[in-house]
Each structure stands twice: as structure tokens, then as C-alpha cells.
Amino acid sequence: TQLLEQSPQFLSIQEGENLTVYCNSSSVFSSLQWYRQEPGEGPVLLVTVVTGGEVKKLKRLTFQFGDARKDSSLHITAAQPGDTGLYLCAGDRSTASKLTFGTGTRLQVTL
Amino acid sequence: DTEVTQTPKHLVMGMTNKKSLKCEQHMGHRAMYWYKQKAKKPPELMFVYSYEKLSINESVPSRFSPECPNSSLLNLHLHALQPEDSALYLCASSQDEGRETQYFGPGTRLLVL
């Protein structure tokens, strides 16, 4: 059973478009991280959200943690080719000592 | 500094070889992790070390042997691997086990022939 489902699985858009990636679960998470990973490289941390309803902005990226801490979203404004990569959400639950990774969203931004 | 380093970057080995992957962090983190990642899939946890002691082994075959010589170093010893073990091996660290943000290294791309 996959605890964190991401949607869409794959997204191909043109430069300048906006997009939203969703990370959903039926479980409550103490915190949730978003990572971006390029092929052959390790995941790079983008943000950690810990409070229900929290919104964090990182330049053109906006992250939101659901009020019930069961879901999160990542919105990218005016996507650029440099945003291309695998986006992973990962959450920790108070009842488990390991991080739960989402299924991943592959984003491709073309010129 | 949030850097985790891994060596080597790439590794090709035969099924009878013995090799080791190395990971290092100088952030004072007390928890370190090994993950295995197949193409287009999320990372899968293999081992967790907390305060230099093995905390979690996710039923990993004994041909993978982790070692934590000190709080900054984590090794993964490989012996008699199979071709299906070919993957990206990622090391990560966090302030404490489980409930802290994890920082990942760049990974070692392993090919078993």
C-alpha cells in the first residue's frame, strides 16, 4: 500500500506555463518535505512544511500543507527548462521512524 | 553547509567482486541512511543508523553490509551482488532519526555485470 500518492505521474509543459503537483494520503504526517531530483543525482531538498495550512514560497515555487496534514501541493509559476526533474514528496509520521516517499512526478519543461 | 558527499560517483563490478560505497557528512547529524533507487522510482530505504548504531534494516540481503565507523561516516560493503542490484545508491543524513528533514548525497550509480 502506497501511503503517499502523487499526481500527475508525468507532466510535459512548455516554458512559461503554470502547473500544480499534488501529494495525497489518508495518513497524517508530522511534517512533509519536497525534493527535486535530476537523473543520476540525489534528491535536493526544496522545502519542509510542518504546520497544517502552512504556505511557503521559494521564488516561483509555492508549497502548501493541507489543514489536516494529510496532503500537500507544489505550484510552479512560469515554468522554466531548469525546473525539469523528478519531484518527490516525503513525509514522516509520528507512528513510524522512517520517511515515506511519494510515488513521484516527472516534470519536463520544453522551450 | 548541508552537504552529504558520496564516493565513488560510478561503480561497475562483477558478481564475484567486493567493493564499498562511502558516505560522509559534517553537519553533526546523528542519523544516517542508505537508500536504493531504481530508475523512475522513489528511493527505497535499506538501512538506518542512529548514533552510530544500526537502527533499521529493511530486510536487506546479507550481500549488502552497512558500517558506521563514526558519526560522520557511513559505508556500504558489497559482496556477491546480482545484476538486479544495479541501481542508484543514495546516502542521507538528518539531525535525528526519522522525524527530521533528510539531506541526500549525489548517489553512487552501481552497475553489476
Short mmCIF file of all heavy atoms in Angstrom, two decimals, chain A residues 46-106:
data_model
loop_
_atom_site.label_atom_id
_atom_site.label_comp_id
_atom_site.label_asym_id
_atom_site.label_seq_id
_atom_site.Cartn_x
_atom_site.Cartn_y
_atom_site.Cartn_z
N LEU A 46 13.83 20.94 -1.32
CA LEU A 46 13.26 22.23 -1.69
C LEU A 46 12.67 22.93 -0.47
O LEU A 46 12.90 24.11 -0.25
CB LEU A 46 12.17 22.06 -2.76
CG LEU A 46 12.64 21.46 -4.09
CD1 LEU A 46 11.44 21.20 -5.00
CD2 LEU A 46 13.63 22.39 -4.78
N VAL A 47 11.87 22.18 0.30
CA VAL A 47 11.19 22.80 1.43
C VAL A 47 10.72 21.74 2.41
O VAL A 47 10.56 20.57 2.04
CB VAL A 47 9.97 23.61 0.92
CG1 VAL A 47 8.80 22.68 0.60
CG2 VAL A 47 9.54 24.67 1.91
N THR A 48 10.56 22.13 3.66
CA THR A 48 9.90 21.31 4.68
C THR A 48 8.71 22.10 5.22
O THR A 48 8.86 23.28 5.56
CB THR A 48 10.86 20.98 5.83
OG1 THR A 48 11.97 20.22 5.33
CG2 THR A 48 10.15 20.17 6.90
N VAL A 49 7.55 21.48 5.27
CA VAL A 49 6.37 22.11 5.86
C VAL A 49 5.96 21.29 7.08
O VAL A 49 6.00 20.05 7.05
CB VAL A 49 5.21 22.25 4.87
CG1 VAL A 49 5.51 23.36 3.87
CG2 VAL A 49 4.94 20.95 4.12
N VAL A 50 5.57 21.98 8.15
CA VAL A 50 5.29 21.28 9.40
C VAL A 50 3.94 21.63 10.01
O VAL A 50 3.43 20.88 10.83
CB VAL A 50 6.40 21.54 10.44
CG1 VAL A 50 7.72 20.96 9.97
CG2 VAL A 50 6.53 23.01 10.75
N THR A 51 3.37 22.75 9.62
CA THR A 51 2.13 23.22 10.24
C THR A 51 0.97 23.09 9.27
O THR A 51 1.08 23.51 8.11
CB THR A 51 2.26 24.68 10.68
OG1 THR A 51 3.40 24.81 11.54
CG2 THR A 51 1.01 25.12 11.43
N GLY A 52 -0.16 22.52 9.72
CA GLY A 52 -1.33 22.42 8.87
C GLY A 52 -1.75 23.77 8.33
O GLY A 52 -1.83 24.73 9.08
N GLY A 53 -1.99 23.83 7.01
CA GLY A 53 -2.37 25.09 6.38
C GLY A 53 -1.20 25.97 5.99
O GLY A 53 -1.40 27.03 5.38
N GLU A 54 0.00 25.54 6.32
CA GLU A 54 1.19 26.36 6.04
C GLU A 54 1.41 26.53 4.54
O GLU A 54 1.22 25.61 3.77
CB GLU A 54 2.41 25.68 6.66
CG GLU A 54 3.71 26.43 6.51
CD GLU A 54 4.87 25.74 7.23
OE1 GLU A 54 4.66 24.62 7.75
OE2 GLU A 54 5.97 26.32 7.26
N VAL A 55 1.82 27.73 4.16
CA VAL A 55 2.19 28.04 2.78
C VAL A 55 3.60 28.60 2.79
O VAL A 55 3.90 29.51 3.55
CB VAL A 55 1.23 29.06 2.13
CG1 VAL A 55 1.70 29.42 0.72
CG2 VAL A 55 -0.19 28.51 2.08
N LYS A 56 4.46 28.01 1.95
CA LYS A 56 5.83 28.52 1.82
C LYS A 56 6.11 28.82 0.36
O LYS A 56 5.68 28.08 -0.53
CB LYS A 56 6.85 27.50 2.35
CG LYS A 56 6.96 27.47 3.86
CD LYS A 56 8.16 26.65 4.28
CE LYS A 56 8.38 26.73 5.79
NZ LYS A 56 9.55 25.93 6.23
N LYS A 57 6.86 29.91 0.15
CA LYS A 57 7.20 30.29 -1.22
C LYS A 57 8.71 30.28 -1.38
O LYS A 57 9.45 30.75 -0.52
CB LYS A 57 6.64 31.66 -1.56
CG LYS A 57 5.13 31.68 -1.66
CD LYS A 57 4.60 32.99 -2.26
CE LYS A 57 3.10 32.91 -2.45
NZ LYS A 57 2.54 34.11 -3.10
N LEU A 58 9.14 29.74 -2.52
CA LEU A 58 10.55 29.69 -2.87
C LEU A 58 10.64 30.16 -4.31
O LEU A 58 10.48 29.39 -5.25
CB LEU A 58 11.09 28.26 -2.72
CG LEU A 58 12.57 28.02 -2.98
CD1 LEU A 58 13.40 28.72 -1.93
CD2 LEU A 58 12.87 26.52 -2.98
N LYS A 59 10.85 31.47 -4.49
CA LYS A 59 10.87 32.09 -5.82
C LYS A 59 9.57 31.78 -6.56
O LYS A 59 8.50 32.21 -6.15
CB LYS A 59 12.11 31.64 -6.60
CG LYS A 59 13.42 32.09 -5.95
CD LYS A 59 14.63 31.69 -6.77
CE LYS A 59 15.91 32.14 -6.07
NZ LYS A 59 17.12 31.75 -6.83
N ARG A 60 9.63 30.99 -7.63
CA ARG A 60 8.42 30.71 -8.42
C ARG A 60 7.66 29.48 -7.91
O ARG A 60 6.66 29.07 -8.50
CB ARG A 60 8.81 30.49 -9.88
CG ARG A 60 9.39 31.73 -10.57
CD ARG A 60 9.87 31.41 -12.00
NE ARG A 60 11.01 30.50 -11.97
CZ ARG A 60 10.92 29.21 -12.21
NH1 ARG A 60 9.76 28.66 -12.49
NH2 ARG A 60 12.01 28.46 -12.17
N LEU A 61 8.15 28.88 -6.83
CA LEU A 61 7.51 27.67 -6.29
C LEU A 61 6.72 28.02 -5.03
O LEU A 61 7.22 28.72 -4.15
CB LEU A 61 8.58 26.64 -5.95
CG LEU A 61 9.15 25.75 -7.06
CD1 LEU A 61 9.80 26.58 -8.17
CD2 LEU A 61 10.12 24.74 -6.51
N THR A 62 5.48 27.52 -4.96
CA THR A 62 4.65 27.72 -3.79
C THR A 62 4.22 26.35 -3.26
O THR A 62 3.68 25.54 -4.00
CB THR A 62 3.40 28.55 -4.13
OG1 THR A 62 3.79 29.81 -4.66
CG2 THR A 62 2.55 28.77 -2.87
N PHE A 63 4.47 26.13 -1.99
CA PHE A 63 4.17 24.86 -1.34
C PHE A 63 3.08 25.08 -0.31
O PHE A 63 3.10 26.07 0.41
CB PHE A 63 5.41 24.31 -0.64
CG PHE A 63 6.61 24.16 -1.52
CD1 PHE A 63 7.45 25.23 -1.73
CD2 PHE A 63 6.88 22.95 -2.14
CE1 PHE A 63 8.57 25.11 -2.55
CE2 PHE A 63 8.00 22.81 -2.95
CZ PHE A 63 8.84 23.89 -3.17
N GLN A 64 2.14 24.14 -0.25
CA GLN A 64 1.08 24.23 0.74
C GLN A 64 0.92 22.89 1.45
O GLN A 64 0.95 21.83 0.81
CB GLN A 64 -0.23 24.65 0.09
CG GLN A 64 -1.35 24.88 1.08
CD GLN A 64 -2.49 25.70 0.51
OE1 GLN A 64 -2.55 25.95 -0.70
NE2 GLN A 64 -3.41 26.12 1.36
N PHE A 65 0.76 22.93 2.75
CA PHE A 65 0.48 21.75 3.55
C PHE A 65 -0.99 21.80 3.93
O PHE A 65 -1.47 22.83 4.40
CB PHE A 65 1.35 21.77 4.81
CG PHE A 65 1.57 20.45 5.48
CD1 PHE A 65 1.25 19.26 4.86
CD2 PHE A 65 2.14 20.40 6.75
CE1 PHE A 65 1.49 18.03 5.48
CE2 PHE A 65 2.38 19.19 7.38
CZ PHE A 65 2.06 18.00 6.75
N GLY A 66 -1.72 20.72 3.71
CA GLY A 66 -3.14 20.71 3.99
C GLY A 66 -3.46 20.95 5.46
O GLY A 66 -2.65 20.66 6.33
N ASP A 67 -4.63 21.48 5.70
CA ASP A 67 -5.03 21.79 7.08
C ASP A 67 -4.95 20.58 7.99
O ASP A 67 -4.58 20.70 9.16
CB ASP A 67 -6.46 22.34 7.10
CG ASP A 67 -6.57 23.71 6.46
OD1 ASP A 67 -5.53 24.39 6.33
OD2 ASP A 67 -7.68 24.11 6.08
N ALA A 68 -5.31 19.41 7.46
CA ALA A 68 -5.31 18.18 8.26
C ALA A 68 -3.97 17.46 8.21
O ALA A 68 -3.83 16.37 8.78
CB ALA A 68 -6.40 17.24 7.76
N ARG A 69 -3.00 18.03 7.54
CA ARG A 69 -1.65 17.48 7.39
C ARG A 69 -1.67 16.09 6.75
O ARG A 69 -0.87 15.21 7.08
CB ARG A 69 -0.91 17.44 8.74
CG ARG A 69 -0.56 18.84 9.23
CD ARG A 69 0.26 18.81 10.50
NE ARG A 69 -0.55 18.45 11.64
CZ ARG A 69 -0.25 17.48 12.50
NH1 ARG A 69 0.85 16.76 12.35
NH2 ARG A 69 -1.03 17.23 13.53
N LYS A 70 -2.61 15.90 5.79
CA LYS A 70 -2.66 14.65 5.05
C LYS A 70 -2.27 14.84 3.59
O LYS A 70 -2.13 13.86 2.86
CB LYS A 70 -4.08 14.08 5.09
CG LYS A 70 -4.56 13.62 6.45
CD LYS A 70 -5.96 13.02 6.36
CE LYS A 70 -6.44 12.53 7.71
NZ LYS A 70 -7.79 11.93 7.59
N ASP A 71 -2.13 16.09 3.15
CA ASP A 71 -1.84 16.31 1.75
C ASP A 71 -1.04 17.59 1.59
O ASP A 71 -0.97 18.43 2.49
CB ASP A 71 -3.15 16.42 0.95
CG ASP A 71 -4.09 17.45 1.51
OD1 ASP A 71 -3.91 18.65 1.19
OD2 ASP A 71 -4.97 17.09 2.30
N SER A 72 -0.44 17.72 0.40
CA SER A 72 0.37 18.89 0.10
C SER A 72 0.33 19.15 -1.39
O SER A 72 0.00 18.25 -2.18
CB SER A 72 1.80 18.67 0.57
OG SER A 72 2.60 19.81 0.32
N SER A 73 0.64 20.37 -1.76
CA SER A 73 0.72 20.70 -3.18
C SER A 73 1.93 21.57 -3.44
O SER A 73 2.42 22.28 -2.56
CB SER A 73 -0.55 21.41 -3.65
OG SER A 73 -0.69 22.65 -2.99
N LEU A 74 2.39 21.47 -4.68
CA LEU A 74 3.50 22.29 -5.16
C LEU A 74 3.03 22.97 -6.43
O LEU A 74 2.64 22.30 -7.39
CB LEU A 74 4.72 21.40 -5.46
CG LEU A 74 5.77 21.93 -6.44
CD1 LEU A 74 6.39 23.21 -5.94
CD2 LEU A 74 6.84 20.87 -6.68
N HIS A 75 3.05 24.29 -6.43
CA HIS A 75 2.65 25.06 -7.60
C HIS A 75 3.86 25.79 -8.16
O HIS A 75 4.58 26.44 -7.41
CB HIS A 75 1.56 26.07 -7.23
CG HIS A 75 1.06 26.87 -8.39
ND1 HIS A 75 0.15 26.36 -9.31
CD2 HIS A 75 1.35 28.13 -8.81
CE1 HIS A 75 -0.10 27.27 -10.23
NE2 HIS A 75 0.62 28.35 -9.94
N ILE A 76 4.09 25.63 -9.45
CA ILE A 76 5.19 26.32 -10.12
C ILE A 76 4.60 27.33 -11.09
O ILE A 76 3.76 26.98 -11.95
CB ILE A 76 6.11 25.35 -10.86
CG1 ILE A 76 6.70 24.33 -9.89
CG2 ILE A 76 7.23 26.12 -11.57
CD1 ILE A 76 7.63 23.31 -10.55
N THR A 77 5.02 28.56 -10.97
CA THR A 77 4.58 29.65 -11.85
C THR A 77 5.63 29.88 -12.93
O THR A 77 6.83 29.91 -12.63
CB THR A 77 4.38 30.93 -11.04
OG1 THR A 77 3.45 30.68 -9.99
CG2 THR A 77 3.87 32.05 -11.92
N ALA A 78 5.16 30.04 -14.15
CA ALA A 78 6.07 30.35 -15.27
C ALA A 78 7.24 29.38 -15.33
O ALA A 78 8.40 29.76 -15.15
CB ALA A 78 6.56 31.79 -15.18
N ALA A 79 6.93 28.11 -15.55
CA ALA A 79 7.95 27.05 -15.53
C ALA A 79 9.07 27.35 -16.53
O ALA A 79 8.85 27.93 -17.60
CB ALA A 79 7.31 25.71 -15.85
N GLN A 80 10.26 26.92 -16.14
CA GLN A 80 11.44 27.07 -16.97
C GLN A 80 12.08 25.70 -17.20
O GLN A 80 11.89 24.78 -16.40
CB GLN A 80 12.44 28.00 -16.28
CG GLN A 80 11.90 29.39 -16.05
CD GLN A 80 12.88 30.29 -15.31
OE1 GLN A 80 13.98 29.87 -14.93
NE2 GLN A 80 12.49 31.52 -15.08
N PRO A 81 12.87 25.56 -18.28
CA PRO A 81 13.51 24.25 -18.54
C PRO A 81 14.33 23.74 -17.35
O PRO A 81 14.41 22.53 -17.12
CB PRO A 81 14.41 24.53 -19.75
CG PRO A 81 13.68 25.61 -20.48
CD PRO A 81 13.09 26.49 -19.40
N GLY A 82 14.87 24.64 -16.55
CA GLY A 82 15.64 24.24 -15.37
C GLY A 82 14.79 23.60 -14.29
O GLY A 82 15.33 23.02 -13.34
N ASP A 83 13.47 23.69 -14.41
CA ASP A 83 12.58 23.05 -13.44
C ASP A 83 12.38 21.56 -13.75
O ASP A 83 11.80 20.83 -12.95
CB ASP A 83 11.21 23.73 -13.44
CG ASP A 83 11.26 25.17 -12.98
OD1 ASP A 83 12.09 25.48 -12.11
OD2 ASP A 83 10.48 26.00 -13.50
N THR A 84 12.86 21.13 -14.90
CA THR A 84 12.72 19.72 -15.29
C THR A 84 13.35 18.80 -14.26
O THR A 84 14.45 19.07 -13.76
CB THR A 84 13.39 19.50 -16.67
OG1 THR A 84 12.66 20.23 -17.66
CG2 THR A 84 13.41 18.03 -17.04
N GLY A 85 12.64 17.72 -13.94
CA GLY A 85 13.18 16.77 -12.97
C GLY A 85 12.08 15.92 -12.36
O GLY A 85 10.91 16.02 -12.74
N LEU A 86 12.47 15.08 -11.43
CA LEU A 86 11.53 14.24 -10.68
C LEU A 86 11.24 14.94 -9.36
O LEU A 86 12.16 15.24 -8.60
CB LEU A 86 12.14 12.86 -10.42
CG LEU A 86 11.34 11.90 -9.55
CD1 LEU A 86 10.06 11.47 -10.26
CD2 LEU A 86 12.17 10.68 -9.18
N TYR A 87 9.98 15.21 -9.10
CA TYR A 87 9.58 15.86 -7.87
C TYR A 87 9.02 14.80 -6.91
O TYR A 87 8.12 14.03 -7.27
CB TYR A 87 8.54 16.95 -8.13
CG TYR A 87 9.17 18.17 -8.78
CD1 TYR A 87 9.42 18.19 -10.15
CD2 TYR A 87 9.54 19.27 -8.03
CE1 TYR A 87 10.04 19.28 -10.75
CE2 TYR A 87 10.15 20.38 -8.62
CZ TYR A 87 10.40 20.36 -9.97
OH TYR A 87 11.01 21.45 -10.55
N LEU A 88 9.58 14.77 -5.73
CA LEU A 88 9.20 13.78 -4.72
C LEU A 88 8.71 14.48 -3.46
O LEU A 88 9.38 15.39 -2.96
CB LEU A 88 10.40 12.90 -4.35
CG LEU A 88 10.94 11.96 -5.43
CD1 LEU A 88 12.35 11.50 -5.07
CD2 LEU A 88 10.02 10.76 -5.60
N CYS A 89 7.55 14.05 -2.97
CA CYS A 89 7.17 14.47 -1.64
C CYS A 89 7.55 13.34 -0.68
O CYS A 89 7.63 12.18 -1.09
CB CYS A 89 5.69 14.81 -1.54
SG CYS A 89 4.56 13.44 -1.86
N ALA A 90 7.80 13.67 0.55
CA ALA A 90 8.19 12.66 1.55
C ALA A 90 7.73 13.15 2.90
O ALA A 90 7.97 14.30 3.27
CB ALA A 90 9.70 12.44 1.54
N GLY A 91 7.06 12.26 3.63
CA GLY A 91 6.51 12.68 4.92
C GLY A 91 6.96 11.77 6.04
O GLY A 91 7.31 10.61 5.82
N ASP A 92 6.96 12.32 7.24
CA ASP A 92 7.24 11.48 8.39
C ASP A 92 6.02 11.44 9.28
O ASP A 92 5.32 12.45 9.45
CB ASP A 92 8.49 11.93 9.14
CG ASP A 92 8.28 13.11 10.03
OD1 ASP A 92 7.70 12.94 11.13
OD2 ASP A 92 8.69 14.21 9.65
N ARG A 93 5.72 10.25 9.78
CA ARG A 93 4.56 10.04 10.66
C ARG A 93 5.06 9.79 12.07
O ARG A 93 6.07 9.15 12.27
CB ARG A 93 3.73 8.87 10.17
CG ARG A 93 3.11 9.07 8.80
CD ARG A 93 2.30 7.85 8.39
NE ARG A 93 3.16 6.69 8.17
CZ ARG A 93 2.81 5.46 8.47
NH1 ARG A 93 1.64 5.21 9.02
NH2 ARG A 93 3.64 4.46 8.23
N SER A 94 4.32 10.24 13.02
CA SER A 94 4.74 10.08 14.41
C SER A 94 4.76 8.61 14.81
O SER A 94 5.42 8.23 15.77
CB SER A 94 3.81 10.85 15.34
OG SER A 94 2.47 10.42 15.17
N THR A 95 4.06 7.75 14.06
CA THR A 95 3.99 6.33 14.39
C THR A 95 5.05 5.51 13.67
O THR A 95 5.11 4.30 13.81
CB THR A 95 2.61 5.75 14.05
OG1 THR A 95 2.35 5.98 12.66
CG2 THR A 95 1.53 6.41 14.88
N ALA A 96 5.88 6.15 12.87
CA ALA A 96 6.91 5.42 12.12
C ALA A 96 8.22 6.17 12.21
O ALA A 96 8.24 7.40 12.30
CB ALA A 96 6.50 5.27 10.66
N SER A 97 9.32 5.43 12.23
CA SER A 97 10.62 6.09 12.37
C SER A 97 11.30 6.31 11.03
O SER A 97 12.46 6.67 11.00
CB SER A 97 11.52 5.27 13.28
OG SER A 97 11.74 3.99 12.72
N LYS A 98 10.62 6.06 9.93
CA LYS A 98 11.25 6.27 8.64
C LYS A 98 10.38 7.17 7.77
O LYS A 98 9.19 7.30 7.96
CB LYS A 98 11.49 4.94 7.94
CG LYS A 98 10.23 4.14 7.64
CD LYS A 98 10.57 2.83 6.96
CE LYS A 98 9.33 2.04 6.63
NZ LYS A 98 9.63 0.75 5.95
N LEU A 99 11.06 7.79 6.79
CA LEU A 99 10.39 8.71 5.88
C LEU A 99 9.59 7.91 4.86
O LEU A 99 10.04 6.88 4.37
CB LEU A 99 11.47 9.53 5.18
CG LEU A 99 11.16 10.93 4.71
CD1 LEU A 99 10.72 11.81 5.85
CD2 LEU A 99 12.38 11.52 4.03
N THR A 100 8.40 8.39 4.52
CA THR A 100 7.57 7.77 3.49
C THR A 100 7.65 8.63 2.25
O THR A 100 7.28 9.80 2.28
CB THR A 100 6.11 7.68 3.95
OG1 THR A 100 6.04 6.89 5.14
CG2 THR A 100 5.25 7.03 2.87
N PHE A 101 8.10 8.04 1.15
CA PHE A 101 8.21 8.79 -0.08
C PHE A 101 6.95 8.65 -0.92
O PHE A 101 6.29 7.61 -0.93
CB PHE A 101 9.40 8.30 -0.91
CG PHE A 101 10.70 8.94 -0.52
CD1 PHE A 101 11.49 8.37 0.46
CD2 PHE A 101 11.11 10.12 -1.12
CE1 PHE A 101 12.68 8.98 0.84
CE2 PHE A 101 12.30 10.72 -0.74
CZ PHE A 101 13.08 10.15 0.24
N GLY A 102 6.64 9.72 -1.65
CA GLY A 102 5.56 9.68 -2.61
C GLY A 102 5.99 8.94 -3.87
O GLY A 102 7.15 8.56 -4.03
N THR A 103 5.05 8.73 -4.76
CA THR A 103 5.27 7.96 -5.98
C THR A 103 6.05 8.73 -7.03
O THR A 103 6.53 8.16 -7.98
CB THR A 103 3.92 7.52 -6.57
OG1 THR A 103 3.04 8.66 -6.61
CG2 THR A 103 3.28 6.44 -5.72
N GLY A 104 6.17 10.05 -6.87
CA GLY A 104 6.99 10.85 -7.76
C GLY A 104 6.21 11.44 -8.93
O GLY A 104 5.26 10.83 -9.44
N THR A 105 6.59 12.62 -9.34
CA THR A 105 6.05 13.29 -10.52
C THR A 105 7.21 13.72 -11.40
O THR A 105 8.08 14.47 -10.95
CB THR A 105 5.22 14.53 -10.14
OG1 THR A 105 4.08 14.12 -9.40
CG2 THR A 105 4.78 15.29 -11.39
N ARG A 106 7.22 13.23 -12.62
CA ARG A 106 8.28 13.64 -13.56
C ARG A 106 7.79 14.82 -14.37
O ARG A 106 6.77 14.73 -15.06
CB ARG A 106 8.66 12.48 -14.47
CG ARG A 106 9.53 11.45 -13.78
CD ARG A 106 10.23 10.53 -14.77
NE ARG A 106 9.31 9.79 -15.60
CZ ARG A 106 9.33 9.77 -16.93
NH1 ARG A 106 10.21 10.48 -17.60
NH2 ARG A 106 8.46 9.04 -17.60
#
